[in-house]
Amino acid sequence: VNQLIKLIESSKPENAKIIKAADKWATWIVAVAFVCSIGTGIVTHEILRSVTVLVVFCPCALVLATPTAIMAAIGNLSKKGILVKDGESLEELAKVNDLILDKTGTLTCGEPEVSEIISCNDKYSKKEIIHILASLENKSEHPLAKSIVKYYKNHENKTLKEVNDFEIIHGKGVKGKIRNDELIAGNRKILNKTYETELDDETTAVYLCKNNQLIGAVLLSDFLRKNAVDVILNLKAMNVTPILMSGDNKNTTRNIAAKAGIDNYKYDCLPEDKSNYIKELQLNDKKVAMIGDGLNDAPSLKKANVGISMGSIGSDISIEASNITLIHDNISDLPHLFKLSRKTLKTINVGIAFALILNLIATILAMFGLLNPIEGAFVHNIGSVIVIIYASSLLKYK
């Protein structure tokens, strides 16, 4: 909660590139207005016409169009529990071509359940395997680790063992010491190359090694989020290509991708693999968004054009690295997020075009003496009000 509060306090909706561009245009418009005003005064010798040109040419509507639209959009999203750090992220999201999705905790529920405990060494019973593994995983924030610890506490009464020298092996697992024994737990990347057999195609295996010897494993089953299929269909309809990238084995990743309706998937991914793939897409002129929840996703969230994190189950580092946070972990809000970002960009462009056209028409009328200063001020203010009302309509966009 404290992390999310800090993000809200540090958010900067005014830093979008299009806002900076509008400010530059406004500076030039002021200079042009001044020149037109002087020129009108010299040609017509009428000070009222000159003053009217200055009044109607003031770029208030132009300057107000962009920040009002972005603030309205951010307000709309906040009501749905979507925190946007800055306006630039919303602008970038409108141009995204590909969305990289993490599997565990993002596309799946993030609450895997232990389905089987396997002893690979006659010296250790299943109870000893889960006891050692839960003790080691107790210091990890990964969803799989939390599920293992939760399972142990629900089924066993023995106190967890004390673990020393605990360390996270990014993209692979964790390691530590219990007494003088070195323990490693994680995916099959922690194993010797001689052991390649996957224990189950439908589950995720967490292997346990003691002093470099495989002694057991735990199988966990995770479930696809109920709304995942609809989310993927909606994203495809918007020409956003979903890509599943997971650290799990080929069969597990392929099965989840097939159930979700995702055609593109990559498996056995280390954190650097995800970052490198995002870089590869960007080098091909693609705008890439990444959504994830874990510590391992942080580099990819930072590398992507737009990083989206899960707020409730996500790690503090992944939330910090992202541009947008789904506070309620509701991926069904993704289509709304993408559609609103595009609608915002369209609203900004329409508002700017309206402001420029209105200014141009009013200026011509003023130069020909068809508007006096009072009428010019009225037209100018009416234009600003129209732009603000139009941009504010994004608050109620559904």
Side-chain angles (χ1 to χ4, degrees), residues 80-320:
K80 278 186 163 288
I82 303 173
L83 172 62
V84 181
K85 282 187 185 179
D86 50 57
E88 185 176 356
S89 300
L90 208 57
E91 182 184 355
E92 285 289 292
L93 191 65
K95 305 170 187 175
V96 162
N97 310 107
D98 299 292
L99 174 64
I100 308 292
L101 297 106
D102 178 47
K103 184 182 76 69
T104 305
T106 303
L107 198 60
T108 61
C109 297
E111 297 180 359
E113 297 178 358
V114 174
S115 58
E116 189 176 353
I117 303 169
I118 298 172
S119 175
C120 302
N121 189 311
D122 294 336
K123 294 181 181 180
Y124 301 93
S125 66
K126 291 183 179 182
K127 285 190 175 183
E128 289 174 314
I129 294 296
I130 192 66
H131 189 197
I132 296 171
L133 185 57
S135 300
L136 182 59
E137 295 282 19
N138 191 39
K139 293 186 177 182
S140 174
E141 291 188 0
H142 195 280
L144 295 177
K146 291 179 180 179
S147 296
I148 291 170
V149 175
K150 180 181 178 181
Y151 176 88
Y152 180 80
K153 290 181 177 180
N154 288 340
H155 292 82
E156 304 293 340
N157 295 321
K158 290 180 67 175
T159 305
L160 293 173
K161 297 175 180 289
E162 183 180 349
V163 176
N164 299 313
D165 299 333
F166 178 83
E167 184 180 337
I168 294 173
I169 310 171
H170 291 300
K172 296 181 180 180
V174 295
K175 67 179 182 179
K177 285 186 177 181
I178 295 179
R179 295 178 181 174
N180 294 322
D181 295 318
E182 292 187 0
L183 299 163
I184 300 178
N187 56 36
R188 65 175 177 173
K189 295 188 184 74
I190 68 167
L191 302 174
N192 296 326
K193 292 183 179 180
T194 55
Y195 193 90
E196 294 290 342
T197 304
E198 280 302 328
L199 296 177
D200 196 305
D201 290 348
E202 297 289 335
T203 59
T204 299
V206 176
Y207 299 94
L208 176 64
C209 294
K210 182 178 181 180
N211 297 324
N212 295 320
Q213 294 294 321
L214 178 68
I215 63 171
V218 167
L219 303 184
L220 299 102
S221 300
D222 202 355
F223 305 97
L224 195 68
R225 291 181 184 268
K226 292 180 180 179
N227 47 17
V229 176
D230 290 336
V231 169
I232 297 303
L233 285 173
N234 278 317
L235 290 172
K236 287 182 176 180
M238 288 183 280
N239 293 321
V240 175
T241 302
I243 303 169
L244 177 62
M245 299 193 74
S246 173
D248 279 330
N249 62 76
K250 181 178 180 179
N251 293 326
T252 302
T253 306
R254 181 178 57 195
N255 289 334
I256 289 292
K259 290 177 182 177
I262 297 176
D263 304 314
N264 302 328
Y265 62 89
K266 292 186 177 295
Y267 52 91
D268 288 337
C269 295
L270 294 171
E272 54 267 32
D273 295 328
K274 296 179 182 179
S275 296
N276 291 336
Y277 185 65
I278 290 172
K279 182 179 180 181
E280 182 183 327
L281 290 173
Q282 290 171 334
L283 290 174
N284 290 322
D285 297 324
K286 295 289 187 76
K287 294 284 187 179
V288 184
M290 162 77 187
I291 178 167
D293 68 297
L295 177 65
N296 291 338
D297 297 320
S300 304
L301 291 170
K302 201 72 176 177
K303 182 65 178 176
N305 298 89
V306 181
I308 306 171
S309 62
M310 310 293 272
S312 178
I313 63 173
S315 69
D316 288 347
I317 295 178
S318 67
I319 293 172
E320 180 67 34

Side-chain angles (χ1 to χ4, degrees), residues 354-392:
F354 171 79
L356 289 174
I357 292 171
L358 182 66
N359 276 5
L360 181 61
I361 293 174
T363 300
I364 293 172
L365 292 175
M367 292 173 71
F368 281 94
L370 299 176
L371 283 179
N372 60 44
I374 295 176
E375 293 169 340
F378 179 77
V379 171
H380 166 75
N381 287 320
I382 284 295
S384 297
V385 170
I386 291 173
V387 166
I388 290 173
I389 291 174
Y390 179 63
S392 297

